[in-house]
Amino acid sequence: QDADFGLHIDETLERLEAVPPARRSRYLVRCSLDRLTPARQRRLAATGCVHVASGMDSRADRGAEALAALRRHVPGLHAEFVLGGDDDAGEEPFERVRSMLQRLPFVCPGIAVAAPWGGTMLHRTAMREGRLLEAMPLALYGTPWLAMVPRHFEAVEFYDRLIALMEETVALPATLRRLTLRDPLAVRLGRVSRTAAARRDIAEMRA
């Protein structure tokens, strides 16, 4: 798996294309959807890509068409939806993610909590506004922990909405829909692993 695929995408694809077809291995990448033009999607398919993971914010509807197009070339798709950012308020961002996942059952979702990593605009804004939890150890940054006070949510309200959405993504009907897709075994096993991880996160948040 190449976690920085999008940084040198054309150079990497050229190297993969230079490998004789009979010697190519299947591979997984993490890449922003806006980097995957139709031509690059076709090249991914031709060189053996079986899984693409991409991060998205709560304005998830913007990526629906891109994911549907990518599905024609790559069987396994994982979308990481980040919630709790400064633009999120009320039920709307959660509903947008929920609606998109209902339209795109072939996408394996991940639900992440926005983290104010050092050097980012989110970190600078949270620090300036006094919302940064400065005593939070770095090991606890990221899902399922809040490392800052959300701008538009009380913590309990945010977690109630987050848990409800995550429980829908790992409910039996949704899990069975993904398992019955005609995808490579490795992709289906990956979905099982992510479902188990999401259930562990839910249990931690409820504890």
Side-chain angles (χ1 to χ4, degrees):
Q1 178 176 348
D2 183 355
D4 298 314
F5 182 78
L7 297 178
H8 309 285
I9 185 168
D10 290 316
E11 178 184 344
T12 304
L13 284 170
E14 287 172 6
R15 292 179 179 272
L16 291 169
E17 289 165 338
V19 178
R23 298 182 59 189
R24 291 175 184 168
S25 299
R26 297 189 298 179
Y27 64 94
L28 301 79
V29 300
R30 177 178 294 276
C31 184
S32 173
L33 290 175
D34 59 13
R35 300 280 291 155
L36 297 178
T37 63
R40 287 170 175 164
Q41 293 177 23
R42 291 190 292 271
R43 294 172 74 187
L44 287 174
T47 54
C49 181
V50 296
H51 188 91
V52 172
S54 182
M56 307 177 74
D57 64 17
S58 64
R59 295 178 290 278
D61 50 334
R62 297 180 181 180
E65 291 184 5
L67 287 168
L70 184 57
R71 170 68 175 175
R72 293 195 286 270
H73 303 282
V74 179
L77 298 177
H78 174 76
E80 190 84 4
F81 300 97
V82 181
L83 292 160
D86 286 351
D87 293 331
D88 290 345
E91 183 64 17
E92 184 180 359
F94 298 89
E95 279 299 324
R96 282 198 297 262
V97 174
R98 186 176 286 112
S99 174
M100 179 177 168
L101 292 177
Q102 288 171 349
R103 299 198 309 271
L104 303 175
F106 51 82
V107 173
C108 184
I111 311 296
V113 174
W117 298 105
T120 63
M121 180 62 72
L122 186 59
H123 180 273
R124 290 192 291 271
T125 302
M127 178 173 284
R128 184 176 65 249
E129 296 176 355
R131 297 186 289 115
L132 196 65
L133 303 181
E134 297 183 16
M136 176 71 77
L138 183 60
L140 296 183
Y141 265 57
T143 308
W145 312 110
L146 281 169
M148 65 178 185
V149 177
R151 177 179 282 174
H152 301 295
F153 296 98
E154 295 293 331
V156 172
E157 174 199 6
F158 175 76
Y159 275 118
D160 283 345
R161 296 181 189 278
L162 183 67
I163 290 170
L165 176 61
M166 291 182 68
E167 285 181 331
E168 290 181 33
T169 69
V170 299
L172 186 59
T175 300
L176 290 177
R177 277 199 305 273
R178 295 184 200 112
L179 287 177
T180 56
L181 294 171
R182 298 175 66 84
D183 291 330
L185 178 60
V187 171
R188 284 182 283 165
L189 290 176
R191 292 193 179 113
V192 171
S193 175
R194 289 192 177 92
T195 297
R199 286 177 174 159
R200 288 194 297 272
D201 285 343
I202 292 170
E204 281 202 55
M205 288 186 283
R206 286 202 175 281

